[in-house]
Amino acid sequence: MSNGTSKTSKISRRSALLGMGAGAGALAAAGVLPGTMGFAQAQSSAPIKIGFQKHATGIGAAYGRWYGATTDAAVKRINDAGGINGRPVEVVVEDDGTDPGRGAEVLEKFANQHNCDVAFGTLFSHVVIGSAPRAGELKLPYFVVSEGHHVASGMLNRYTLQPGITDVKSQVISMAPFVANNLGKKVTMIYPDFAFGHDHRDFFSEAIAAQGGEVVAKIAIPPTETSFTRYFPSIPRETEVIYHVMVGPAVLTFVKELGEFFGPNRPELFGFIDSLEAVDIKSSGLEFLEGTYFWEGMPRYAQADQADYEKDYRAAVGVDENGASIADSKDVATYAHMFGCWETLNIIKAGMESADYQGPQDRAKLIEAVEAMTDMPAGADHPQGAKRFNGKTHQTFGSQYISKVTDGKLVVEHTASIEDGLYEDEVDYTAQSF
Amino acid sequence: MTDNSKSNLMHIGVLVVLFALFFILPVYHAGNMSRIMVLAVYAMGFNLLFGYTGLLSLGHAMFFAAGMYGFGLTTNLGGLPVPLAFGFGVICAGVLALVVGFLALRTIGVAFMIVTLMFAQTAYLVVLYFGTYTRGDEGFVIQQAQRSIAGIDLTSETGRYFTALLIFGICFLLIARLVQTPFGKTLVAIRENEERTRMLGYDSHRHKLKILVISGLFSGVAGATYALLFGYVGATFATVQYSIFPLVWVLLGGAGTTIGPLIGVFFMFYLINISSGFTDAYMLVVGVVLVLLTLFAPHGLAGLLRKKVLTWLP
Amino acid sequence: MDFGPHLMLASLEGAVISAILVLTAMGLSIVFGVMRVVNVAHGEFYMLGAVLTWFITSIVGGHPAIGFVAAIVVAPLLVGCLAAGADRLILKRVNYDPDRTIVATIGMLYIIQQTTLMTFGPEARPVEAPFNTRLSLPWFEWGENGFAMIWPWGLSTTSYKLFVIAAAAMVLVALWLVLTRTKVGLLMRATQQDSETAQAFGVPVGKVYSWVFGLGAGLAALGAVLVVPIQQAHYLMGHDPLLLAFIVVIIGGLGSLPGTVIAAILIGMSDGIISVFFSPTLAKIIATFLVAMVLVFRPQGLLGKIAR
């Protein structure tokens, strides 16, 4: 396969050189051409190739595994229903090692080696930000599933979109009213001392102030920390609610030590499920979480009023009603995030069909088709709930869930609406040229 | 032909081959080569200190990052034009190397390894601490529009490749020359026997400080170039991992040879790239290859070449 | 929290960190001291200890204490054997050349990590502590009513954490006895001081190296068995302990076991105590920098001999 393509590429590059006197711009165009030509020659029944940038190794591997399972399930469903524009979908997986440098290399491989139509699936923000500039230069549509605010902040480019998962700014803003009205107005925040944590700090501080509350202390935990107790004494006595969000392999230690620190008399706790993603809430030492609250992107435990489409989704991705793998009840999924892969793939399908996508020459048309999307109803394509996509900021907005730990299970207590999480546009990507 | 002219010929030859490769290679591999050349500059900088002088630093990521952030922050926040910002980044790395050298060169051997490691760790944490400007681990993007010099777009495949080649070429020739000078010879003498070199009247401390600064400068050039060509600045590049990489590259390629770093980077890059194509367990393959290489190519790949074929290799 | 109780809590936490660190660093120190090689895979032996503990406790079942006791015996033993095997198979063949050993052990690091990822998986997995009671701690204050005992908010530790400190101390004493009072220890010390002379006097240096390498890895694994009920087993968990242990060994003074102990306590405690005064990341910056400066002004380490 690669042999044939590389031959075409040599010829076209040489002729471009001779013909145009090696203008820099012309060569850049030629750089993209070989892939285009290789594909145009292919029959229209050739598969649509989606490059999946997977965190198979490195710090994101636990998420990567579930993102992989969800992607496989979603692609199977799309193919069973006849593929995209009648063409089957093929996923090309490359491991980025959860490293931004490698991430950018992988995008080049998708565009120039595998001749992928689009790239997709990145979770960790630093990998997204490290890869996105290359996506823009390679003119490769890059659909991320990261929940970072990087897309909507305007930092990236027209080729990078986040249509399948709500960003952190929206999530955080939509939590503030519930926290202020039900849990308390004096909040201490505990978050990791890197950009993801700073987003929580900044957006929540602002949002809680708007609700008449205040953040009384901000405790930023250095990354790669493995023990936490010595930071807890900085929690002021007046604290009514602790807002916590941690990521990485040490999350369980963090939550356990929080429980050990407070013992029987704790303030209210409100956490982002990131603090316990892929961790069994019934693990020993977590009993104190009973009666505390969590943000969930999508409810881990099957709720009493579970919709049929959500039940089907759960079965398709191989997760039982407790949010663990059907094969192993101790293997807990990253259920609050992985739906983003499923929904993003369905959006890619919808976008390609409405743009009548034929091959890489239609990439810009695909982006425009996705930018034109607005409301997406809840259903089999969007099992997490309805979404509203903002074509200008390339960011989607959806409902958020607040669950209370009741009898060792997360039970949804409040659903924040899409409107609760809207904020003013910070960028208009449609004004950028392709 | 003397060994010296053979070696000159080889250095020019390498550059000619790299020049030609752009027109021969498929676009994907040409893209990889531009990355490899930038990282090779980093490895060459490291090699000056480790391969030629015998000083093993485990903190070179801080110099790479200094170049990267010095360049990235001044273009992004300060709006400085690319050449000025680039120069500033390189100077940042040099100044940092001077300060680090002043302190760390009081130590030798393993203590030097640890001191540089810890200074680099401090530098990494400082990047996170000033997250307001650096965006911490996430890092930031240098927009495509900002990445051009004198109207030449550095984000095109051509612009990128030839910028990388130009910078690599300059560094490659500079280093090839440097190691032939009396200064360079003295460094090797220090590596072989510092005590004796000192007795012969050389100020070994001064030499070590000088080469540390030079090594830092090259690393800074690599960091700034990486940010310029690939548009991203992030704290990952300041982690220990990125201090270990040049060590592995240099040892694999051949420590104390001018061509070794390039070979090492090339080898590692394609080892990972190719093995990840046919197995998920590519790290296992990398691990096994590393072990085998230490067993069968004790002086790296260039060392192997020097022993078997090219005995004159510098 | 008031300053006094805060400091006490931070010191207690520091003591736990020190206890684990002392075991991991001791393993590295012995290897370093006797064999003069940098073992980059040391952190992976630590990780293997934790991962094996998870496997063993899952297989054994029953009360968590049974599995834990089994793990404390079996895990270090298995890891030690594995390391000794790796020494025979690889390190011996590169003649313990410093540079080549670094690359070879980096290769081993990749192999161990990837194998663990494929078998154990990418998740962080918890191991239940054999016992774990929260102990509230009192604080004494000279208040309006004279001397009084109060129970400040949050001032507490757990019985398991205290056990870790005690266990580490016991292992240290045992190790000291082995090194000073047994023939094995004598052989090791002889090899450390001068391996060539030792060889000439009939010490089986090659065997001693294998034993030492195994013992070092076993100690790292033992530290991990103790820590895993507090933290979780994860395939990348070896990274930080490697760096810290490495730092401890050099700060303590190469080849000086008492120096290693002092340095571990110093670094563990300073990490805890400095965090009382500064914001967390700033505290880490300061702690890291200060420790580096110790070495700048005392290049041979705290108890090390002047450069060889």
Side-chain angles (χ1 to χ4, degrees):
Chain A
M1 167 209 79
S2 61
N3 240 346
T5 338
S6 56
K7 268 181 199 150
T8 349
S9 110
K10 274 184 230 166
I11 294 162
S12 73
R13 284 161 63 77
R14 277 200 195 122
S15 54
L17 232 178
L18 291 172
M20 303 190 186
L27 258 180
V32 188
L33 265 175
T36 323
M37 291 174 63
F39 212 87
Q41 288 158 1
Q43 292 173 356
S44 62
S45 64
I48 300 253
K49 284 188 168 181
I50 297 183
F52 174 29
Q53 198 182 30
K54 185 181 177 184
H55 304 325
T57 55
I59 201 79
Y63 279 93
R65 197 163 62 85
W66 282 103
Y67 267 43
T70 312
T71 300
D72 290 346
V75 168
K76 181 174 182 301
R77 175 172 168 269
I78 289 173
N79 281 337
D80 286 351
I84 296 177
N85 283 333
R87 291 164 61 186
V89 175
E90 183 191 331
V91 173
V92 181
V93 185
E94 285 284 348
D95 178 16
D96 59 25
T98 326
D99 178 282
R102 183 69 194 145
E105 291 165 18
V106 161
L107 278 199
E108 288 171 12
K109 208 170 180 182
F110 286 148
N112 293 335
Q113 178 89 332
H114 296 305
N115 295 317
C116 288
D117 295 280
V118 299
F120 139 92
T122 330
L123 168 70
F124 274 57
S125 296
H126 63 309
V127 185
V128 170
I129 298 171
S131 308
R134 294 299 289 133
E137 291 156 22
L138 295 160
K139 306 202 180 298
L140 178 73
Y142 181 37
F143 293 88
V144 301
V145 189
S146 151
E147 75 174 2
H149 181 55
H150 35 56
V151 175
S153 72
M155 181 201 270
L156 306 180
N157 52 58
R158 191 150 187 197
Y159 281 89
T160 309
L161 308 99
Q162 185 157 246
I165 191 165
T166 310
D167 75 333
V168 60
K169 181 169 184 177
S170 170
Q171 292 170 357
V172 167
I173 291 174
S174 67
M175 294 297 105
F178 180 86
V179 172
N181 297 329
N182 300 286
L183 304 181
K185 304 233 186 248
K186 293 191 168 162
V187 185
T188 291
M189 297 185 73
I190 307 177
Y191 51 88
D193 198 3
F194 42 70
F196 168 75
H198 296 170
D199 282 347
H200 272 273
R201 175 194 67 196
D202 297 343
F203 301 139
F204 187 78
S205 304
E206 206 174 292
I208 195 84
Q211 299 292 326
E214 64 168 321
V215 175
V216 292
K218 300 169 180 173
I219 303 173
I221 310 280
T224 74
E225 189 56 276
T226 49
S227 73
F228 304 90
T229 305
R230 63 183 183 281
Y231 301 123
F232 296 145
S234 313
I235 300 169
R237 199 66 208 253
E238 52 175 338
T239 301
E240 293 167 356
V241 194
I242 287 178
Y243 176 113
H244 64 91
V245 53
M246 288 299 290
V247 284
V251 291
L252 180 54
T253 317
F254 168 76
V255 181
K256 263 162 103 173
E257 294 195 341
L258 197 59
E260 281 161 8
F261 178 78
F262 284 114
N265 43 20
R266 58 165 173 79
E268 291 286 355
L269 290 182
F270 175 82
F272 266 65
I273 198 70
D274 306 59
S275 294
L276 278 181
E277 196 70 316
V279 172
D280 189 351
I281 207 162
K282 290 201 173 70
S283 302
S284 84
L286 297 188
E287 297 79 10
F288 79 102
L289 286 174
E290 186 70 18
T292 71
Y293 295 83
F294 280 97
W295 162 90
E296 289 193 284
M298 186 169 184
R300 176 187 293 186
Y301 289 84
Q303 302 294 311
D305 60 348
Q306 189 188 27
D308 282 341
Y309 56 77
E310 209 230 304
K311 203 169 179 177
D312 295 341
Y313 162 78
R314 208 176 264 271
V317 297
V319 170
D320 69 12
E321 56 186 15
N322 295 324
S325 160
I326 291 173
D328 175 3
S329 65
K330 283 193 163 173
D331 182 7
V332 176
T334 59
Y335 204 72
H337 296 88
M338 62 199 236
F339 70 87
C341 291
W342 177 282
E343 298 204 1
T344 303
L345 286 165
N346 289 322
I347 289 164
I348 293 173
K349 172 181 155 81
M352 284 186 167
E353 291 185 341
S354 93
D356 191 26
Y357 181 89
Q358 297 298 324
Q361 70 277 10
D362 294 335
R363 280 172 178 163
K365 271 164 76 185
L366 167 63
I367 303 253
E368 282 173 334
V370 176
E371 280 170 349
M373 294 181 181
T374 49
D375 280 303
M376 310 172 195
D381 285 349
H382 303 283
Q384 187 261 354
K387 298 278 174 318
R388 185 177 302 163
F389 185 66
N390 182 337
K392 286 184 175 171
T393 62
H394 283 190
Q395 176 59 50
T396 213
F397 297 90
S399 306
Q400 307 300 321
Y401 304 93
I402 296 176
S403 303
K404 184 176 183 180
V405 183
T406 317
D407 300 327
K409 290 187 174 184
L410 288 155
V411 179
V412 174
E413 181 100 351
H414 173 79
T415 305
S417 68
I418 291 177
E419 285 73 20
D420 287 343
L422 295 181
Y423 52 85
E424 260 182 59
D425 292 358
E426 294 168 26
V427 62
D428 183 0
Y429 284 118
T430 59
Q432 296 180 5
S433 60
F434 280 108
Chain B
M1 208 165 14
T2 64
D3 283 358
N4 213 355
S5 54
K6 268 187 197 164
S7 131
N8 286 342
L9 213 59
M10 184 212 63
H11 286 104
I12 302 294
V14 166
L15 295 181
V16 169
V17 168
L18 284 172
F19 183 86
L21 276 180
F22 179 74
F23 303 102
I24 299 165
L25 286 177
V27 63
Y28 170 64
H29 294 285
N32 287 346
M33 280 312 298
S34 49
R35 207 171 233 115
I36 288 169
M37 286 188 283
V38 176
L39 294 176
V41 172
Y42 181 29
M44 291 189 307
F46 181 83
N47 189 31
L48 278 179
L49 193 67
F50 171 64
Y52 286 98
T53 323
L55 281 171
L56 175 48
S57 144
L58 284 184
H60 254 50
M62 68 181 142
F63 306 131
F64 187 82
M68 188 176 234
Y69 277 95
F71 165 70
L73 286 174
T74 45
T75 38
N76 239 27
L77 299 177
L80 235 54
V82 168
L84 275 182
F86 192 92
F88 182 77
V90 175
I91 290 170
C92 279
V95 171
L96 182 65
L98 185 67
V99 175
V100 166
F102 183 72
L103 294 170
L105 283 174
R106 295 173 52 92
T107 63
I108 51 162
V110 281
F112 181 77
M113 284 161 71
I114 296 299
V115 171
T116 46
L117 173 78
M118 297 189 77
F119 281 149
Q121 197 64 14
T122 312
Y124 167 68
L125 288 168
V126 166
V127 170
L128 296 187
Y129 188 70
F130 291 101
T132 323
Y133 308 103
T134 62
R135 290 294 295 162
D137 65 311
E138 249 183 43
F140 56 89
V141 166
I142 300 169
Q143 297 298 341
Q144 210 170 339
Q146 289 167 269
R147 287 153 53 202
S148 64
I149 295 179
I152 301 170
D153 180 9
L154 301 183
T155 65
S156 70
E157 298 297 336
T158 326
R160 192 192 333 272
Y161 190 92
F162 287 106
T163 311
L165 178 60
L166 181 72
I167 288 173
F168 172 82
I170 293 173
C171 296
F172 189 57
L173 294 179
L174 274 179
I175 287 175
R177 181 79 200 92
L178 180 81
V179 298
Q180 299 295 338
T181 59
F183 174 69
K185 303 277 188 206
T186 317
L187 296 178
V188 177
I190 291 174
R191 178 187 73 193
E192 295 304 324
N193 193 337
E194 184 171 354
E195 203 57 34
R196 182 178 298 174
T197 316
R198 226 190 344 248
M199 303 250 253
L200 288 172
Y202 292 98
D203 184 348
S204 70
H205 185 265
R206 215 182 145 77
H207 275 81
K208 290 199 289 190
L209 187 60
K210 260 192 197 164
I211 197 63
L212 178 57
V213 172
I214 294 173
S215 171
L217 285 170
F218 278 113
S219 306
V221 166
T225 312
Y226 194 96
L228 175 65
L229 297 186
F230 301 102
Y232 174 67
V233 175
T236 310
F237 296 103
T239 54
V240 188
Q241 208 190 352
Y242 276 82
S243 291
I244 305 279
F245 282 152
L247 172 64
V248 176
W249 293 329
V250 165
L251 281 175
L252 281 184
T257 62
T258 48
I259 187 80
L262 179 67
I263 297 178
V265 176
F266 180 87
F267 181 81
M268 262 312 255
F269 188 97
Y270 272 101
L271 178 62
I272 291 175
N273 203 27
I274 292 172
S275 58
S276 71
F278 63 83
T279 168
D280 287 341
Y282 65 93
M283 296 246 292
L284 198 65
V285 178
V286 173
V288 171
V289 171
L290 288 188
V291 169
L292 290 178
L293 271 174
T294 49
L295 289 178
F296 301 110
H299 299 290
L301 295 167
L304 204 63
L305 278 181
R306 173 147 59 181
K307 199 166 160 197
K308 304 268 172 194
V309 232
L310 316 170
T311 43
W312 45 267
L313 206 66
Chain C
M1 190 184 271
D2 292 333
F3 177 72
H6 189 171
L7 192 66
M8 177 169 163
L9 188 72
S11 312
L12 264 172
E13 287 301 307
V16 178
I17 297 174
S18 304
I20 302 295
L21 196 50
V22 104
L23 292 184
T24 358
M26 203 48 111
L28 195 65
S29 182
I30 290 174
V31 172
F32 219 163
V34 176
M35 300 166 69
R36 310 273 177 217
V37 294
V38 178
N39 173 19
V40 184
H42 191 68
E44 303 317 305
F45 294 132
Y46 174 86
M47 177 272 280
L48 276 182
V51 166
L52 283 175
T53 307
W54 182 86
F55 274 118
I56 294 166
T57 49
S58 322
I59 294 167
V60 171
H63 190 275
I66 305 171
F68 185 76
V69 171
I72 230 170
V73 178
V74 177
L77 213 60
L78 281 179
V79 174
C81 291
L82 181 81
D87 172 74
R88 284 274 165 102
L89 200 65
I90 302 168
L91 297 191
K92 196 173 170 190
R93 300 194 185 187
V94 297
N95 294 327
Y96 305 99
D97 174 83
D99 292 349
R100 292 162 75 193
T101 303
I102 292 178
V103 180
T105 50
I106 289 178
M108 280 158 59
L109 173 147
Y110 281 141
I111 295 172
I112 296 174
Q113 262 185 19
Q114 183 74 43
T115 313
T116 310
L117 178 63
M118 289 189 303
T119 49
F120 174 80
E123 291 81 17
R125 297 179 194 255
V127 170
E128 204 168 327
F131 48 86
N132 197 23
T133 324
R134 179 181 187 272
L135 308 169
S136 291
L137 299 174
W139 183 255
F140 302 95
E141 216 166 49
W142 194 256
E144 288 163 25
N145 309 320
F147 197 69
M149 192 168 85
I150 56 167
W151 299 86
W153 194 51
L155 182 58
S156 67
T157 186
T158 65
S159 53
Y160 185 76
K161 282 184 176 172
L162 294 180
F163 164 75
V164 168
I165 299 173
M170 275 171 358
V171 173
L172 275 187
V173 171
L175 189 66
W176 180 73
L177 288 175
V178 168
L179 287 180
T180 53
R181 302 288 154 87
T182 65
K183 192 171 168 236
V184 178
L186 184 69
L187 293 180
M188 274 171 58
R189 281 180 293 137
T191 314
Q192 169 168 4
Q193 274 167 9
D194 188 342
S195 61
E196 279 168 22
T197 316
Q199 184 122 37
F201 277 88
V203 174
V205 170
K207 255 190 192 150
V208 172
Y209 277 6
S210 295
W211 275 98
V212 163
F213 204 66
L215 177 65
L219 280 172
L222 185 58
V225 177
L226 290 176
V227 88
V228 80
I230 303 178
Q231 297 173 5
Q232 286 82 46
H234 184 257
Y235 86 108
L236 293 176
M237 72 189 291
H239 181 240
D240 283 359
L242 167 70
L243 294 185
L244 275 175
F246 202 16
I247 290 165
V248 163
V249 171
I250 306 303
I251 296 281
L254 196 62
S256 160
L257 297 187
T260 304
V261 177
I262 294 171
I265 294 172
L266 184 81
I267 288 175
M269 296 300 281
S270 71
D271 205 42
I273 291 171
I274 292 176
S275 74
V276 174
F277 300 97
F278 300 97
S279 74
T281 303
L282 189 59
K284 274 245 181 282
I285 294 177
I286 293 171
T288 315
F289 187 75
L290 285 182
V291 171
M293 292 312 276
V294 169
L295 216 48
V296 167
F297 290 104
R298 210 179 148 73
Q300 73 274 32
L302 294 174
L303 297 188
K305 297 179 198 77
I306 297 294
R308 291 165 291 123

